[in-house]
Amino acid sequence: MSDIAKKVPFGYEPPKDDRKGTIVYYDSFEHITERELDFAAYISKERSFAKLVLYPLHEQSVKRLSKEPVSAYHKREDKLHEWKRDRDAANVIVERLEGKRKKYTPIDSALRHLSETYPAPLFLLMTGEMANLFASFSSFEEWIVKIRLFVITESGHVHPRLVQYRQRWEPVTSH
């Protein structure tokens, strides 16, 4: 605490920060375009989130989730950093947990790390395919009551657990 007295006008109240919470874009970012990243930034700004966290998955995580071939983690991460630099986005963070671990990271571990590291409430932004995968895990019911989802709508099947917890997620469409 400072010994210097601060003078403020009578009745002064510090301005409240309207920006709350964190939105996490959880994806491999293999096929994500700059337009889709701009859409994530738009949602973050429109909904007044304090932080937008881009969470690229490690190759081993993608392999376990979808069996889809994916480029090296550092190449996808570099693409995200380049997009961030081009937009001069101060409130955007590229999460490095999976890059440090260099192996498969279960979504439970990732969510635990994110909820301990970033300001609450925690929202996940996912593609419809990723949301269906998340809903198929046994820990989905434990996590869906702690977080909320934004699902980038795609035509197709919606997992029964997503239907069951439809009040905990919201479909969003890119403009």
Side-chain angles (χ1 to χ4, degrees):
M1 186 102 178
S2 174
D3 292 338
I4 301 171
K6 295 180 182 171
K7 294 182 181 183
V8 294
F10 177 75
Y12 171 80
E13 291 185 23
K16 292 185 178 179
D17 188 9
D18 294 335
R19 303 178 76 75
K20 297 182 180 152
T22 306
I23 183 167
V24 178
Y25 198 164
Y26 187 88
D27 201 272
S28 68
F29 294 99
E30 179 69 20
H31 303 292
I32 300 297
T33 63
E34 287 190 358
R35 182 172 174 246
E36 291 166 316
L37 289 170
D38 290 338
F39 178 64
Y42 169 77
I43 290 174
S44 176
K45 185 178 179 182
E46 178 192 33
R47 305 286 175 110
S48 300
F49 285 103
K51 303 260 182 235
L52 167 61
V53 178
L54 304 176
Y55 189 96
L57 299 171
H58 191 270
E59 300 98 272
Q60 295 298 321
S61 297
V62 176
K63 188 177 179 181
R64 291 258 183 113
L65 290 173
S66 68
K67 310 280 190 257
E68 174 186 320
V70 61
S71 60
Y73 174 84
H74 66 88
K75 289 182 181 178
R76 292 177 285 126
E77 183 185 41
D78 289 347
K79 191 169 82 170
L80 295 176
H81 282 294
E82 183 181 323
W83 174 83
K84 180 184 171 185
R85 268 191 310 276
D86 291 348
R87 302 304 185 275
D88 194 29
N91 70 326
V92 176
I93 297 169
V94 179
E95 177 59 51
R96 298 210 19 105
L97 176 69
E98 297 225 5
K100 291 176 188 173
R101 286 177 48 88
K102 296 183 177 149
K103 61 182 179 178
Y104 167 66
T105 305
I107 194 166
D108 297 335
S109 299
L111 291 175
R112 201 172 309 108
H113 167 76
L114 291 166
S115 62
E116 292 169 358
T117 307
Y118 298 104
L122 190 65
F123 287 73
L124 286 182
L125 177 64
M126 298 178 149
T127 62
E129 179 185 348
M130 188 65 73
N132 282 333
L133 282 169
F134 178 39
S136 70
F137 295 136
S138 59
S139 61
F140 174 77
E141 292 179 346
E142 172 191 336
W143 279 105
I144 196 63
V145 297
K146 297 176 185 176
I147 62 172
R148 303 258 333 209
L149 292 178
F150 288 126
V151 179
I152 300 171
T153 54
E154 302 166 355
S155 59
H157 170 72
V158 176
H159 195 280
R161 283 197 191 143
L162 283 175
V163 173
Q164 179 184 354
Y165 288 97
R166 68 180 152 271
Q167 74 280 7
R168 300 291 302 164
W169 64 277
E170 178 182 333
V172 292
T173 53
S174 58
H175 44 280

